[in-house]
Amino acid sequence: MSEEALRQQIQNLKKHNARLKRIAHDARNKLSAALDGTGLCLWQLDIPSGKLVIFNRRWGSMLGFQPKETKAQFEVWRERLHPEDADEVLRAFYDHIEGRAPYYEALHRMLGKNDKITWVLDRGRVTEWDEEGNPLKVTGTHIDMTKEKQYEAQLSSLAHHDPLTGLTNRHALQTHFSKMKTQGPLCVAFIDLDNFKHVNDTLGHRSGDEVLIQLSQRILDQVPPNVVVGRLGGDEFVLLMPFLIDFPKVRIMMQSVLDAALTPFDVDNGHAHIGASIGVATVQPHFSFDEALTRADEAMYQIKKNGKQGFGLAG
């Protein structure tokens, strides 16, 4: 082959190589765009070196890191696993690497920049082995699940908490009641507000809602952490107290809650004045939640009947 023919062949090979690079680059861009559109990030781990190759996103971007702020290395990923999830995630990973599971999958938390928590769904599978059957490369995807987990938490909160005050709702009160009844003495307080209708009629329902929100916080401030505070709806509240009814703290708490209701409330268009009538009843072993509530309601009604703004105990 002449020198000119060799030079021409080299030139043709260079053009062909450049064309293949353009095709590969274009295919990679299309793959990146497609994956980014689904929220998936494609990764590959070289097991011997621990190097991570991220095909369509910067590694660490979902954790809030800027380019070159963190390294794409297995050790860095492992260090960023949430301490409460790390053992389970690594167990799932090595179960697959060592042949005990057909693939790797884990939904877990990672610590991002400034320890901000990000939920991630990881999936992967060994895609290359050496001649002795040892795994060399793992290819997989991860997807940011933080918004989904936040939405899930919000749904759970709505299912167990009053949307206005954030207190425990009736459904959750019943669950707490069933559990607390098996753990020791229990008494229930039924709180019905006095003159609350007057607040709604004169200051408006928005001010009435503000009173309920403020009172809820005041009640929480007056009771110990082991007392469950709930709202049934309207102006009716319930306390589940893990004490004997003649325990001195019960009377002290009821007086504090009463004082909290009697203290005027500052709202946008004035001052609201209410009171409270409170009935407390002992929970007998055979009582259902509704039966215990009825006993406390009967004790509360006696306070209403005798002039309101007080509390009464029914053993």
Side-chain angles (χ1 to χ4, degrees), residues 19-35 42 55-56:
R19 178 174 172 272
L20 291 176
K21 285 183 177 180
R22 287 195 300 271
I23 292 173
H25 181 73
D26 183 58
R28 182 167 177 173
N29 285 341
K30 289 179 179 178
L31 175 62
S32 295
L35 290 171
L42 182 64
F55 291 101
N56 63 308

Side-chain angles (χ1 to χ4, degrees), residues 39-170:
L40 287 171
C41 176
L42 182 64
W43 55 266
Q44 187 175 78
L45 169 66
D46 181 75
I47 296 176
S49 68
K51 182 179 179 180
L52 277 166
V53 177
I54 307 298
F55 291 101
N56 63 308
R57 279 175 149 184
R58 286 186 296 102
W59 194 90
S61 62
M62 71 171 184
L63 302 182
F65 292 107
Q66 296 299 315
K68 299 182 180 180
E69 196 173 359
T70 187
K71 294 181 179 179
Q73 289 283 337
F74 180 79
E75 288 300 321
V76 175
W77 171 80
R78 185 165 64 180
E79 290 170 1
R80 284 287 165 184
L81 292 173
H82 192 285
E84 295 178 8
D85 299 344
D87 288 346
E88 184 177 347
V89 174
L90 292 172
R91 186 182 305 113
F93 180 79
Y94 285 113
D95 276 351
H96 173 57
I97 296 301
E98 295 169 5
R100 293 187 294 272
Y103 54 85
Y104 158 63
E105 179 174 296
L107 174 62
H108 62 93
R109 291 165 290 178
M110 295 196 71
L111 299 178
K113 193 171 184 178
N114 300 320
D115 287 340
K116 181 181 178 181
I117 292 177
T118 297
W119 280 90
V120 178
L121 176 59
D122 267 340
R123 291 191 178 102
R125 189 188 298 271
V126 175
T127 53
E128 187 177 331
W129 293 262
D130 64 15
E131 294 179 354
E132 298 177 355
N134 299 310
L136 290 178
K137 295 184 185 299
V138 184
T139 304
T141 61
H142 69 218
I143 184 170
D144 188 340
M145 297 291 290
T146 305
K147 289 183 179 179
E148 286 77 4
K149 294 297 290 186
Q150 290 172 343
Y151 181 62
E152 181 181 302
Q154 290 170 358
L155 287 179
S156 177
S157 179
L158 288 173
H160 296 90
H161 295 86
D162 173 56
L164 177 64
T165 64
L167 295 179
T168 304
N169 63 15
R170 186 185 187 97

Side-chain angles (χ1 to χ4, degrees), residues 261-293:
L262 289 169
T263 302
F265 296 83
D266 293 327
V267 293
D268 289 341
N269 54 346
H271 302 283
H273 298 268
I274 62 170
S277 297
I278 307 172
V280 185
T282 294
V283 175
Q284 301 297 336
H286 62 279
F287 277 6
S288 67
F289 176 73
D290 288 338
E291 288 172 328
L293 212 57

